[in-house]
Amino acid sequence: MLRFELLATSGHARRGRLTLAHGVVETPVFMPVGTYGTVKGVMPRSLEEMGAEIILGNTFHLWLRPGLDELQAFDGLHRFENWRRPILTDSGGFQVWSLGEMRKISEEGVRFASPVNGDKLFLTPEISMQIQTLLGADIVMQFDECTPYESKGQLTTEREARDSMALSLRWAERCRSEFARLENPNALFGIVQGGLFESLREASLEALVAMDLPGYAIGGVSVGEPKAEMQRIVAHTPRLLPAGKPRYLMGVGTPEDLVDGVANGVDMFDCVMPTRNARNGHLFTRFGDLKIRNARHKSDAAPVDASCGCYACAGAGGSGGLSGGFSRAYLHHLDRCGEMLGPMLASVHNLHYYIQLMRELRLALEDGRFEAWRAQFAADRARGV
């Protein structure tokens, strides 16, 4: 089940609405990453309160732990993690790519040793579809090969990228067939590959569009390539995808990346950056990034961002300033002491910032002021904290 409505546009930027089995998702949207069935350090209630409409789970990791028997006993991932809103599951392709020398790719699928206990495992497009059907995800991603930027210090050649892209297309056909055989009532997205070669991206896109899938993603970016190269692909590819279907940029990125992605026609984003950076004391704010570990914050009574209404900055009252919120000095102290509350509060703040950023983007698109909003966003971020 998937319905996508296009509500407003500004250049290539789009304001849309995605209706899925477990609810409505307003786009552009940022999706918090919940790899193991949890967004690290953040209570599900906090996600709901900050306005998260859809989160991610990961096929590969959930397959390994807790395992399919346990998930089946709960009728899938929604009940297991007690999340009532939509879920998107990654197919496992990126995780297989990240295994490096521990895996062997063939036409049939990928053989690898489990990073958990060393068991010999085999993941195929069909098995990925079977796992994701059991998980009950609202959006299921095709199993693909994530084309690397380089291997063993050597840049991926056009021929290597073409072979990888062609394999992903054959796997997409197998995913589509298995998805239909399983009578999965949810939505299957294809993934555009092709490395850093525009012609290959176009060939991948054309073949996937011919499959008439409910939605499409751009994969194989933010995998070690220079930022300018990623930006080139993001400027080229999303706008070529069907206008009437959702477009998803996988694994990207900074606030600036999200705004640029929207300007280039992207509707959906995910990234571990808000929570991963939070655990390292790196916080995103309207006025630039803040590193809470810096000594200058030791006695700073200000909140992380006085304009932010998250629990870390404003407390339960949500009134801004210090009314019920926590100071930079306190978060600095927690980080220095290794207290778990520190990264928890930082994660709440970063995710709230990303979700609020998308909310402001949507309002700007609705009001026909996207370019003015974008200029103000850049000026605010450049101001610095």
Side-chain angles (χ1 to χ4, degrees):
M1 158 147 183
L2 181 149
R3 184 171 74 253
F4 181 67
E5 305 166 74
L6 201 55
L7 304 178
T9 60
S10 175
H12 295 292
R14 296 138 55 92
R15 165 74 172 97
R17 179 170 295 133
L18 188 59
T19 302
L20 299 165
H22 286 87
V24 174
V25 176
E26 304 292 343
T27 66
V29 65
F30 178 79
M31 304 178 287
V33 177
T35 301
Y36 289 98
T38 173
V39 178
K40 286 186 186 296
V42 181
M43 297 285 285
R45 179 177 175 179
S46 295
L47 291 171
E48 292 179 2
E49 289 172 348
M50 70 179 68
E53 297 177 316
I54 177 172
I55 62 174
L56 267 66
N58 185 264
T59 299
F60 176 87
H61 290 295
L62 292 166
W63 178 36
L64 300 183
R65 290 181 296 188
L68 302 186
D69 290 343
E70 288 76 9
L71 289 162
Q72 189 168 27
F74 283 85
D75 297 319
L77 191 54
H78 283 89
R79 184 166 163 242
F80 183 66
E81 63 178 280
N82 198 23
W83 177 257
R84 296 166 291 184
R85 300 180 183 186
I87 294 176
L88 179 152
T89 46
D90 191 0
S91 68
F94 179 82
Q95 285 68 37
V96 165
W97 168 79
S98 68
L99 290 173
E101 297 299 320
M102 293 174 63
R103 49 94 173 120
K104 183 176 181 180
I105 300 173
S106 68
E107 185 67 36
E108 290 73 26
V110 184
R111 297 186 185 277
F112 61 96
S114 166
V116 175
N117 57 18
D119 285 353
K120 304 290 186 185
L121 298 173
F122 187 40
L123 187 57
T124 68
E126 291 78 13
I127 293 172
S128 178
M129 293 301 98
Q130 292 160 19
I131 298 169
Q132 292 185 79
T133 297
L134 185 151
L135 292 174
D138 298 73
I139 297 176
V140 168
M141 301 306 299
Q142 75 152 99
F143 188 60
D144 64 328
E145 183 189 11
C146 183
T147 306
Y149 170 62
E150 61 180 9
S151 299
K152 299 179 179 178
Q154 299 296 314
L155 296 182
T156 298
T157 65
E158 183 173 7
R159 180 175 178 177
E160 289 169 336
R162 183 182 298 277
D163 290 345
S164 175
M165 179 269 289
L167 178 62
S168 287
L169 287 176
R170 294 192 295 274
W171 285 358
E173 286 282 13
R174 289 168 58 186
C175 285
R176 186 174 67 153
S177 295
E178 183 66 7
F179 189 86
R181 187 191 71 80
L182 294 166
E183 299 182 345
N184 189 321
N186 294 306
L188 173 64
F189 278 27
I191 303 177
V192 177
Q193 291 288 354
L196 299 177
F197 303 94
E198 284 98 334
S199 61
L200 297 184
R201 291 281 175 175
E202 291 173 16
S204 174
L205 187 152
E206 182 178 349
L208 288 169
V209 170
M211 297 181 198
D212 194 25
L213 299 169
Y216 300 95
I218 298 99
V221 295
S222 194
V223 291
E225 75 277 11
K227 188 66 168 282
E229 294 290 88
M230 182 194 80
Q231 292 171 332
R232 176 170 58 84
I233 295 302
V234 173
H236 168 267
T237 307
R239 63 187 67 179
L240 301 178
L241 288 163
K245 297 187 177 183
R247 305 162 174 172
Y248 166 27
L249 180 60
M250 304 182 76
V252 175
T254 66
E256 287 74 16
D257 292 335
L258 269 60
V259 174
D260 288 346
V262 170
N264 285 300
V266 176
D267 305 303
M268 305 167 66
F269 303 85
D270 82 282
C271 192
V272 297
M273 188 172 286
T275 48
R276 178 178 290 170
N277 282 26
R279 295 193 299 275
N280 291 301
H282 186 135
L283 291 95
F284 298 98
T285 84
R286 183 180 300 274
F287 302 108
D289 297 350
L290 183 151
K291 295 182 179 179
I292 203 66
R293 292 177 179 174
N294 288 355
R296 69 187 181 97
H297 300 303
K298 184 176 181 180
S299 302
D300 192 341
V304 170
D305 184 345
S307 71
C308 178
C310 81
Y311 177 72
C313 292
S319 57
L322 289 177
S323 178
F326 301 93
S327 67
R328 297 179 186 181
Y330 183 61
L331 268 67
H332 174 84
H333 159 72
L334 294 175
D335 186 87
R336 290 291 298 271
C337 294
E339 283 289 342
M340 67 174 68
L341 181 60
M344 289 173 68
L345 289 172
S347 295
V348 165
H349 169 79
N350 279 353
L351 284 173
H352 183 279
Y353 170 78
Y354 269 59
I355 289 169
Q356 178 63 24
L357 179 68
M358 294 290 101
R359 187 178 292 119
E360 292 181 13
L361 262 170
R362 292 194 296 267
L363 288 172
L365 286 165
E366 290 171 14
D367 295 343
R369 53 182 178 84
F370 172 68
E371 289 303 331
W373 180 92
R374 188 183 182 191
Q376 187 62 54
F377 161 80
D380 285 346
R381 288 278 293 167
R383 194 193 83 174
V385 289

